[in-house]
Amino acid sequence: MTIKTLIERQNHKHQPFCTSDITVFDAAVAIAELDVNALAIVDDGELKGIITDHDVLRCLVDSGPAFNEQIVREWMTPRPITCTVDTGLADALKLMAGRGIRHLPVLENGRVKSVISSKELLTRIHEDDELEISVLRDMARAGRVAHA
């Protein structure tokens, strides 16, 4: 199973993107409204970075009363690690674990398609495991009934 199947199930009101010139406060509002934990930073159609809920908190703590004046480009992670829509779920999870990150911008034909989280990946992998177990259980039951 690939990332494409995962992002097809996302139901964001808007894509989890923002530009680098908005305030961190506005990015925080978008994160809350979209119920996500990260936004891809996209300027002129090109991925420039990523800002996470952790970055927003760090900005708030470090800047104090000047928080409302902080701009995303100063707090984002530039050149983030990415994956493509064709990346396997397990491969994306390994990439995240190996790099110590929780979010990946997803590219399709070089353009940002969405952002995925490790939580989304783990949930989807768990659902697949549960389905597989259920099918195997049903097959085992059917086999016992046929032999009885």
Side-chain angles (χ1 to χ4, degrees), residues 16-79:
F17 307 158
C18 72
T19 58
S20 65
D21 60 350
I22 69 169
T23 65
V24 174
F25 176 81
D26 288 337
V29 169
I31 285 170
E33 286 179 347
L34 294 172
D35 194 26
V36 295
N37 298 102
L39 300 173
I41 312 305
V42 180
D43 290 333
D44 299 321
E46 187 178 329
L47 177 65
K48 295 294 183 175
I50 190 168
I51 191 162
T52 67
D53 51 358
H54 179 76
D55 298 325
V56 171
L57 289 173
R58 191 170 44 85
C59 175
L60 178 61
V61 169
D62 289 354
S63 59
F67 175 73
N68 288 337
E69 302 163 17
Q70 302 302 308
I71 303 299
V72 164
R73 87 172 53 81
E74 302 299 323
W75 294 93
M76 70 183 193
T77 300
R79 297 174 306 282

Side-chain angles (χ1 to χ4, degrees), residues 37-38 50 52-53 81 96 101-105 115-118:
N37 298 102
I50 190 168
T52 67
D53 51 358
I81 305 301
M96 289 173 148
I101 56 176
R102 298 179 298 137
H103 305 92
L104 284 174
V115 177
I116 59 166
S117 70
S118 55

